[in-house]
Amino acid sequence: MPTLYEQLGGAPAVNAAVDIFYRKVLSDSKISHYFDGIDMDAQIAKQKAFLTYAFGGPNNYTGKDLGSAHAKLVEQGLNDDHFNAVAGHLSATLTELKVPQNLADEVMSIAASTREVVLGRAA
Amino acid sequence: MPTVRFEGNTYEAAPNETVLDTLLRSGIAAPHSCKAGACGTCRMRAVFGNVSVGAQSGLRTTEVSEGIFHPCQQKVTGDFVVERDKSTPTFETKIVHKFMASHDVVIARLAAPEGFEFRAGQFIRVNHLAPASRCYSIASLPHTSSLELHIRLLKLGVMSYWWANEAEIGSKVSFEGPFGSCSYDLPQNQPMLLIGSGTGLAPLLGVVRDAMDSGHIAPIRIYLGGADFESHYLTDDLLEMAAANPQFKFVPCTDRPVPDQRFRAGSPCQAALNDNPKLAGWAVYTCGHPLLVQDTKKRAFLAGAKIQDIFSDPFVDQSVQRAA
């Protein structure tokens, strides 16, 4: 029984998704300022890691990584609206790539499960 | 406070500092360039210490197990003992040609040393004035007899002083390398957009020469910025090359309008995007002032270029910081 990651297409699928996803994020004025002045290669690597995680793939992310990565931003006001914006772009990316609805739902569910940690609300 | 031990001395780290910054702050001339974990110039070996995944990103598995890491990406989370990575080869050569390409740009050619393999557009770290060292991109092709470097002279620069007053034909130069990923490795029919400033022209010119030497058939367009007319060099040669080659276009730009009609006013990135607004399928190269490079990478990506098709030499061209 192939895993979600395998069904989505594995690493090539992540590569196809990351450019589309990151372009949407950078073009959204609600959240693009969080990415100002950041080295793009480093940031794309992080987006790839996040997408791999959301696609149910092997990952180096631990809950602590996602939390500490966003801690400063949370202090500066990162909130549910920003999280929702990014989640929306992920969903739109999956639609653009014509990912079957049941698989897309699983990805969105994994992404949604990071909300509390990202926003620094996990215990 | 955690410490970093290097070459027999122990240095206290400041809170939240990287290993590289601890060394630099302690007066060690640790070689470095991009401070983004990309160029490999700062490589060291961790003899002791908990190296993070991020500080070993992009390295080969063999290097990782040897403890090679990028100190610019490693926060001093505990005690570290580090040493220089002795595995980068050093080459000895001499200057075979040197001339002033403008009032403050030297173009120097070094004899190509035996066994030195590189791609045009990569850079070398010249270290014969150690502990001072500087990085220069190679503008020439392999299998020619010399390496061509473009050097902007800075009034107070240690290396600049040497290039301006002491370097002459026959002077010895030693360097390490090659470093960097800004080189030509494309399908012949992929259009190329090259955006840079100042002596960022060196790697871009290397890439263009390589493309044309390899029979590249798609368009090749360079947009080159400079503070003003005087900061440009090789302008006539490049415009002649463009006049003789329909696939090649060269647009020199200056910050403010100048009376010379061949120059366009404004940012080279803006000029490039005005002429080529949709970059899906394009390869984009950008080198020079760090802010221009960062801006260009982002705007090229937003204009549709794939991240793997955007090449930037993270080498900070220190000369351009003066011109800006």
Side-chain angles (χ1 to χ4, degrees):
Chain A
M1 172 68 192
T3 63
L4 169 65
Y5 185 62
E6 286 161 356
Q7 288 181 72
L8 284 165
V14 170
N15 286 331
V18 72
D19 275 14
I20 298 172
F21 171 61
Y22 193 46
R23 239 178 240 124
K24 289 185 194 297
V25 165
L26 282 186
S27 307
D28 181 344
S29 54
K30 259 200 310 297
I31 48 179
S32 58
H33 59 276
Y34 287 115
F35 300 93
D36 280 344
I38 288 186
D39 177 72
M40 269 198 47
D41 288 312
Q43 193 57 32
I44 289 268
K46 289 181 192 168
Q47 298 301 344
K48 252 196 211 168
F50 167 66
L51 282 184
T52 304
Y53 171 77
F55 282 24
N59 68 90
N60 293 320
Y61 264 147
T62 63
K64 179 174 182 283
D65 283 341
L66 276 178
S68 54
H70 295 90
K72 250 217 206 103
L73 304 183
V74 168
E75 268 172 49
Q76 292 165 7
L78 191 78
N79 61 35
D80 287 285
D81 285 344
H82 305 110
F83 187 92
N84 294 340
V86 174
H89 293 311
L90 177 56
S91 179
T93 300
L94 298 172
T95 304
E96 207 172 298
L97 290 170
K98 302 195 188 348
V99 172
Q101 193 58 49
N102 62 324
L103 298 182
D105 288 345
E106 279 195 63
V107 172
M108 291 313 296
S109 157
I110 296 174
S113 72
T114 67
R115 179 188 295 267
E116 300 304 298
V117 171
V118 166
L119 295 178
R121 301 196 290 235
Chain B
M1 283 265 75
T3 58
V4 175
R5 190 165 171 78
F6 174 71
E7 293 188 342
N9 293 310
T10 304
Y11 308 101
E12 278 231 0
N16 220 34
E17 196 171 50
T18 62
V19 170
L20 178 66
D21 282 338
T22 301
L23 294 175
L24 294 174
R25 196 173 45 75
S26 307
I28 303 295
H32 65 283
S33 187
C34 73
K35 285 199 169 186
C39 72
T41 307
C42 72
R43 283 165 65 111
M44 287 196 169
R45 199 169 81 81
V47 174
F48 174 86
N50 221 343
V51 179
S52 69
V53 169
Q56 293 186 308
S57 177
L59 295 176
R60 300 183 190 88
T61 48
T62 44
E63 294 167 324
V64 169
S65 42
E66 280 166 35
I68 303 292
F69 75 114
H70 296 128
C72 68
Q73 298 299 294
Q74 179 66 56
K75 294 257 167 87
V76 190
T77 47
D79 289 339
F80 275 87
V81 178
V82 303
E83 60 183 30
R84 288 197 196 280
D85 171 22
K86 298 177 198 82
S87 61
T88 333
T90 294
F91 296 87
E92 310 285 339
T93 181
K94 52 186 180 3
I95 297 177
V96 294
H97 190 53
K98 182 190 160 209
F99 71 99
M100 298 298 297
S102 78
H103 73 103
D104 67 349
V105 172
V106 168
I107 293 188
R109 295 205 170 91
L110 311 179
E114 188 84 33
F116 176 58
E117 309 257 334
F118 67 97
R119 306 184 94 128
Q122 288 193 291
F123 64 94
I124 56 175
R125 187 168 72 86
V126 170
N127 60 16
H128 62 278
L129 294 186
S133 67
R134 290 293 180 272
C135 295
Y136 302 103
S137 300
I138 306 172
S140 50
L141 295 174
H143 317 302
T144 59
S145 57
S146 60
L147 313 175
E148 177 181 311
L149 310 181
H150 300 182
I151 301 118
R152 170 102 47 199
L153 300 175
L154 306 184
K155 281 214 172 65
L156 300 175
V158 164
M159 284 291 293
S160 292
Y161 182 86
W162 183 80
W163 283 112
N165 301 301
E166 294 175 7
E168 51 186 19
I169 305 218
S171 293
K172 294 207 176 107
V173 172
S174 65
F175 66 86
E176 289 167 48
F179 302 106
S181 53
C182 202
S183 52
Y184 175 75
D185 188 7
L186 305 173
Q188 291 181 326
N189 60 355
Q190 182 168 22
M192 297 166 63
L193 187 59
L194 304 103
I195 298 170
S197 64
T199 50
L201 175 62
L204 300 184
L205 187 53
V207 169
V208 169
R209 284 172 170 156
D210 204 349
M212 295 178 75
D213 189 57
S214 308
H216 198 78
I217 52 182
I220 302 172
R221 301 184 179 156
I222 300 187
Y223 292 77
L224 183 71
D228 49 39
F229 176 78
E230 284 80 24
S231 53
H232 277 267
Y233 64 103
L234 293 185
T235 309
D236 291 335
D237 300 82
L238 291 165
L239 287 170
E240 269 171 39
M241 197 163 126
N245 280 286
Q247 83 179 121
F248 178 63
K249 179 172 173 157
F250 175 65
V251 180
C253 304
T254 50
D255 290 352
R256 280 167 296 278
V258 298
D260 190 325
Q261 278 190 339
R262 301 171 303 169
F263 291 79
R264 221 186 277 187
S267 146
C269 177
Q270 190 57 58
L273 287 169
N274 287 343
D275 292 354
N276 314 278
K278 292 201 199 316
L279 297 179
W282 283 68
V284 179
Y285 292 82
T286 178
C287 305
H289 195 293
L291 291 180
L292 170 70
V293 168
Q294 200 175 77
D295 189 43
T296 299
K297 278 167 77 167
K298 185 159 157 181
R299 296 179 68 185
F301 177 68
L302 289 175
K306 292 208 289 232
I307 201 68
Q308 304 101 300
D309 287 345
I310 300 174
F311 302 85
S312 66
D313 203 319
F315 162 46
V316 174
D317 186 347
Q318 296 164 299
S319 66
V320 187
Q321 287 172 330
R322 171 188 181 246

